[in-house]
Amino acid sequence: MSDTTALCESTTDFPQHPMFTFNSDGTMTRNHSLYPNTAATPDPNDDTIALSKDVPVNQSNNTWVRIFLPRQALDSSTDTKFPLVVYTHGGGLLLLSAATKIYHDLCSEIAARVPAIIVSVDYRLAPEHRLPAAYDDAVEVLQWVKTTQEHWLRQYADFSSCFIMGDSGGGNIAYHAALQAAAQVDDLLPLKIKGLILLKPFFGGVKRTESELRLANQPILPPPQTDFTWQLALPIGADRDHEYSNPIVGGGSKFLDQFRLLGWKVMVTGGSEDTLFDRQVELAKLMEQKGVNVVSYFDDSPHDMIGDPVKLEALYVNIKKFILS
């Protein structure tokens, strides 16, 4: 069976969704009206909390990054360098981009509040590009960061204080990119990774968890929706117990031991009203059992906190504390 045939068959029974429609060849047309894009803001005269600009990385794969610069960097009285965060956006591995306004705003807030340099990765999406394409794109950005002559990074970023961060589907990508990075730390020098930030990361598995059963009728990420998402994102023929989906299968990746040996710390967030909650807790526990320094922030929130300013404020505080501690 060809990849194109399998792609068409895999999309046949996917439930209708307001954010995309499937084409006859199995590719996807995405609707950006619910989560619109916003332009980068590189002009220091603009009234923004952080500057941003888009830079191409791999033109063959059409990947690029949006870099966020805190305004503190423009203070000519200091030569301070700022922590560097490589960020992968959410969207269930299928949707959205580094230009999506909600992620642009999130990165702007973190850049301004920490303060830090944020490199937001626009990676390839499934089903046109199944995993591990997005993982490879994130790791390629790490390699690009270490060699680029991009002024904002060379002038203002502290390469000895790098964090890999991801949100939802981007949290899955950040985790797997970090596993790859842990196996090639010498090759990434002078970039030195200090930790990993997983914001309600998107994972799965064949057997239902308690939170998936309890929240089966949730409008956000009900189990049937996540099942179809994995069907579109995983390698053709793989089930949800594939290592890309289920990080605890087989006792977890052998490279988790590298997190401990390298002294990396890992921040994991989750909410008990999120169908994915138990999977986030399971991963945090697995890493703790392997001796990794894990900082967990679990509350009673659903998967999407965009409309909850109190919880968003707490999130910004916790990210700042984690990066600067």
Side-chain angles (χ1 to χ4, degrees):
M1 180 187 297
S2 71
D3 284 1
T4 301
T5 300
L7 182 59
C8 291
E9 291 182 355
S10 72
T11 61
T12 302
D13 298 320
F14 201 99
Q16 290 187 338
H17 196 285
M19 292 185 65
F20 57 81
T21 55
F22 287 111
N23 304 316
S24 59
D25 62 355
T27 60
M28 184 183 288
T29 297
R30 295 162 177 87
N31 175 11
H32 298 291
S33 62
L34 293 178
Y35 293 95
N37 291 341
T38 191
T41 53
D43 188 346
N45 295 315
D46 287 343
D47 184 21
T48 57
I49 60 174
L51 307 187
S52 58
K53 65 178 173 181
D54 298 339
V55 182
V57 173
N58 184 324
Q59 294 184 345
S60 296
N61 291 334
N62 197 30
T63 57
W64 51 276
V65 295
R66 178 163 291 183
I67 305 174
F68 295 81
L69 183 74
R71 285 191 171 272
Q72 294 91 324
L74 303 180
D75 183 354
S76 60
S77 66
T78 178
D79 58 359
T80 300
K81 290 185 178 287
F82 300 90
L84 175 64
V85 179
V86 176
Y87 170 76
T88 44
H89 65 81
L93 306 168
L94 309 177
L95 302 166
L96 310 181
S97 80
T100 302
K101 187 177 187 304
I102 56 172
Y103 299 122
H104 175 96
D105 292 348
L106 175 73
C107 290
S108 294
E109 289 284 351
I110 295 171
R113 288 168 180 253
V114 174
I117 310 288
I118 313 293
V119 177
S120 181
V121 183
D122 196 76
Y123 52 84
R124 289 171 292 172
L125 300 172
E128 296 89 346
H129 305 283
R130 290 174 177 262
L131 299 174
Y135 305 158
D136 295 340
D137 293 343
V139 173
E140 184 176 37
V141 167
L142 292 173
Q143 294 282 356
W144 174 84
V145 165
K146 81 166 191 176
T147 59
T148 184
Q149 296 304 306
E150 209 302 307
H151 174 70
W152 283 2
L153 296 180
R154 288 292 159 190
Q155 182 70 24
Y156 302 115
D158 181 357
F159 279 33
S160 70
S161 183
C162 177
F163 294 83
I164 302 174
M165 179 173 74
D167 176 21
S168 188
N172 177 290
I173 296 168
Y175 175 74
H176 286 284
L179 291 175
Q180 291 189 41
Q184 51 181 287
V185 287
D186 291 340
D187 191 44
L188 289 173
L189 293 174
L191 198 63
K192 294 182 180 179
I193 297 166
K194 293 183 66 176
L196 180 59
I197 302 172
L198 305 178
L199 307 178
K200 297 190 174 179
F202 182 65
F203 293 111
V206 170
K207 184 179 179 180
R208 293 285 189 238
T209 65
E210 188 278 333
S211 62
E212 289 170 339
L213 293 172
R214 174 171 51 87
L215 301 168
N217 296 318
Q218 273 270 48
I220 301 175
L221 295 181
Q225 181 180 325
T226 60
D227 290 352
F228 275 110
T229 298
W230 287 119
Q231 184 180 337
L232 297 177
L234 288 170
I236 292 171
D239 67 19
R240 298 191 304 276
D241 278 339
H242 191 282
E243 61 181 326
Y244 295 164
S245 171
N246 189 344
I248 68 170
V249 69
S253 170
K254 63 182 179 180
F255 294 115
L256 275 179
D257 290 329
Q258 283 294 102
F259 287 10
R260 172 180 56 82
L261 294 172
L262 292 166
W264 291 3
K265 56 185 181 178
V266 182
M267 173 177 164
V268 184
T269 74
S272 61
E273 292 304 303
D274 181 358
T275 54
L276 305 178
F277 179 64
D278 287 344
R279 303 204 180 274
Q280 296 150 1
V281 172
E282 287 172 349
L283 177 60
K285 288 182 176 178
L286 174 65
M287 290 189 288
E288 289 174 342
Q289 291 167 1
K290 291 183 175 290
V292 178
N293 179 10
V294 178
V295 179
S296 300
Y297 293 103
F298 298 133
D299 57 26
D300 61 353
S301 61
H303 191 74
D304 186 352
M305 297 195 308
I306 298 302
D308 191 329
V310 174
K311 285 189 168 57
L312 274 176
E313 180 65 27
L315 176 67
Y316 296 139
V317 170
N318 291 334
I319 290 174
K320 178 177 181 176
K321 179 180 177 181
F322 181 80
I323 290 175
L324 298 183
S325 63

